[in-house]
Amino acid sequence: MRSFIVSSVLLGLASAAVVPVVPEVVPRGKGHGHDHKKFNVQVGVRPYYLVDDMDESPLKKKLESCSEQEFKTSDFVFSHRGAPLQFPEHTLQGYTAARRQGAGVIECDVSFTKDKQLVCRHSQCDLHYTTNILNTTLASKCSIPFTPFNGTAPATAKCCTSDITLAEFKTLCGKMEGFNANATTAEKYMDGTPYFRTDLYSQGCPKLMSVDDYIPLVDSWDLKYTAELKTPEVKMPFDGYTQKQYAQDLVNKFYQYGVEPSRVWLQSFLPDDIFYWIDNEPDFGKQAVYLDERVDTPAGYDNATASIPELAKRGVKIMAPAFFALTKVDKLGKIVPSEYALACKKAGLDMVAWSFDRSGWLQIGGGGYYYDYVKNVTNNDGDMYTVLDVLAQQVGIKAIFSDWPATATYYANCFGL
């Protein structure tokens, strides 16, 4: 999913063929090793705050009517990086929060380390603004060392998972995504949490996750998986490691742990990754999610929309653009499905949208990037639910990625999703 990076003033808010080698492990079905005790999903106060903030409407009354019901886990809710609105992303603590908030599908964005091991990071080169690496001896191994703000040029650094080994990666601590571009020290550089997030749950050492940590954890919870193969930021092949082997290694991890393909939604922004899974791992390929960032420009949006029928013929089953691309405002000022969404429906493709609860206040610019095509009619945070309702009921999305799963869980439970 798209990343945005912040400063103290919020800067924004980014080969050779491989023969599949499948470990001989018999899938063990839907979860194993757990005690099946009752689990109480908790949505907290945020959904109620958003409903209270809505303009008066039948939708508001419907959501209010669900306020006292018992909430349950929903596969409509994809946890985006855990619960990064308040917890450091891709950490054990963030995943645990996402589970408690009712996410039925937990995400691990997958990058590789110097020794070609798979870890959960949103970007191959985000360690300098999502972990404490600059405050450790591993800072010396970063691709680009920390350089302070000099009065003109912003502070910079670039630290990648491929700069360090898995063992070294596991010594790091997670922190809230962000940096201070005006920093004159590494410690100040790491202090850049956006205004609408919090460092309340960043104390101690939030645990980073490898794929070997992630898969058994989610399995023990009897939940489902969505794993995104992150686009490498180093030249491939990397020390002989090809893109196709990288794509296959991710699949092999699910085989290793006996996870049924029906529980897994693989993702990638690279169409070649999607095609690789369709061609070589069809059981996984039929639920592969094509993350479509072509929609970010008007010309790209038009080209992406026109390409939908051909992608369907190629075997793609699920499209996933940022959710702004699935809606528009009609001549009457109503939010309705976009041409892109209608093209997907016509081609018989499912849609997954990203990422809910990732914007700042909708009072500021209508919510920015994620509300780009409807921002003229979104002006208060309660409008988030208005947009989600159009996505769910009119566009017909299969699921929504959310930075705070509880918000989407409340809606999903209210509408039986």
Side-chain angles (χ1 to χ4, degrees):
M1 301 310 118
R2 165 177 294 252
S3 172
F4 62 86
I5 304 171
V6 294
S7 71
S8 55
V9 293
L10 189 63
L11 293 181
L13 209 158
S15 72
V18 171
V19 178
V21 178
V22 179
E24 294 185 5
V25 176
V26 178
R28 289 169 284 186
K30 183 188 176 186
H32 40 81
H34 22 74
D35 54 18
H36 297 286
K37 291 181 180 178
K38 181 179 178 181
F39 182 79
N40 290 315
V41 170
Q42 302 290 327
V43 297
V45 298
R46 180 161 176 76
Y48 299 92
Y49 166 79
L50 294 176
V51 172
D52 287 344
D53 193 49
M54 293 177 69
D55 298 330
E56 294 301 324
S57 66
L59 174 60
K60 180 174 182 176
K61 288 183 169 57
K62 168 64 175 174
L63 292 172
E64 287 176 334
S65 74
C66 299
S67 64
E68 306 311 315
Q69 73 178 59
E70 180 181 357
F71 294 98
K72 299 179 181 179
T73 299
S74 171
D75 288 351
F76 179 77
V77 183
F78 281 21
S79 156
H80 182 235
R81 313 190 201 179
L85 183 65
Q86 295 194 39
F87 287 82
E89 63 187 49
H90 291 310
T91 60
L92 173 61
Q93 290 77 6
Y95 287 159
T96 302
R99 179 203 183 201
R100 179 61 67 182
Q101 293 177 29
V105 184
I106 307 294
E107 181 186 47
C108 168
D109 292 321
V110 179
S111 296
F112 58 84
T113 59
K114 186 176 183 179
D115 49 349
K116 306 178 186 68
Q117 300 300 304
L118 303 183
V119 296
C120 299
R121 281 292 93 198
H122 173 258
S123 167
Q124 185 175 30
C125 297
D126 71 3
L127 297 181
H128 51 290
Y129 61 90
T130 64
T131 77
N132 67 334
I133 191 170
L134 293 179
N135 201 30
T136 74
T137 57
L138 293 176
S140 64
K141 297 189 175 185
C142 290
S143 294
I144 299 176
F146 171 72
T147 302
F149 174 65
N150 64 8
T152 303
T156 58
K158 184 178 181 180
C159 305
C160 307
T161 57
S162 51
D163 292 334
I164 58 176
T165 66
L166 175 62
E168 291 169 331
F169 174 85
K170 287 194 165 187
T171 68
L172 299 175
C173 304
K175 77 172 194 70
M176 292 300 286
E177 178 192 15
F179 67 85
N180 178 357
N182 299 320
T184 55
T185 67
E187 289 76 12
K188 292 180 179 179
Y189 180 84
M190 293 188 293
D191 184 14
T193 302
Y195 70 91
F196 58 91
R197 294 183 180 165
T198 178
D199 290 311
L200 185 62
Y201 303 111
S202 297
Q203 62 181 313
C205 182
K207 175 182 169 58
L208 302 190
M209 303 291 288
S210 69
V211 170
D212 285 308
D213 297 322
Y214 159 74
I215 295 178
L217 177 71
V218 174
D219 194 48
S220 73
W221 292 340
D222 206 13
L223 299 180
K224 298 176 183 177
Y225 306 83
T226 183
E228 179 188 340
L229 199 73
K230 298 305 299 186
T231 302
E233 295 186 43
V234 295
K235 185 178 180 180
M236 299 292 279
F238 173 77
D239 189 26
Y241 194 50
T242 67
Q243 184 71 25
K244 290 181 179 180
Q245 188 61 62
Y246 179 31
Q248 186 63 45
D249 282 353
L250 177 55
V251 172
N252 286 349
K253 282 296 181 184
F254 288 104
Y255 281 123
Q256 178 183 338
Y257 288 98
V259 176
E260 290 282 2
S262 61
R263 295 175 63 201
V264 181
W265 283 267
L266 301 178
Q267 319 165 49
S268 180
F269 280 104
L270 299 180
D272 283 349
D273 291 340
I274 304 297
F275 301 152
Y276 176 83
W277 291 321
I278 290 171
D279 294 341
N280 296 280
E281 293 289 350
D283 287 343
F284 286 90
K286 65 185 178 184
Q287 287 195 159
V289 179
Y290 181 1
L291 302 167
D292 194 354
E293 63 185 345
R294 298 174 299 167
V295 299
D296 281 3
T297 66
Y301 175 90
D302 291 339
N303 290 335
T305 302
S307 76
I308 296 299
E310 192 60 35
L311 288 171
K313 290 179 182 178
R314 183 62 179 83
V316 176
K317 302 294 185 185
I318 307 173
M319 298 299 296
F323 67 77
F324 78 82
L326 296 174
T327 59
K328 67 176 185 179
V329 178
D330 69 9
K331 294 179 180 180
L332 299 177
K334 299 290 186 181
I335 300 174
V336 296
S338 68
E339 292 82 3
Y340 183 103
L342 295 175
C344 288
K345 275 189 173 183
K346 184 176 181 180
L349 299 184
D350 286 330
M351 290 165 278
V352 174
W354 48 272
S355 295
F356 205 57
D357 244 327
R358 187 152 184 80
S359 298
W361 299 335
L362 268 63
Q363 296 94 316
I364 301 177
Y369 172 78
Y370 290 99
Y371 295 84
D372 196 28
Y373 287 5
V374 300
K375 60 187 177 185
N376 291 337
V377 297
T378 53
N379 52 35
N380 55 284
D381 282 357
D383 289 335
M384 290 173 55
Y385 273 137
T386 303
V387 174
L388 181 58
D389 188 61
V390 174
L391 290 169
Q393 306 301 329
Q394 297 184 46
V395 173
I397 59 172
K398 183 182 186 69
I400 184 90
F401 283 91
S402 179
D403 276 30
W404 197 243
T407 309
T409 296
Y410 186 100
Y411 178 92
N413 275 250
C414 193
F415 283 89
L417 301 176

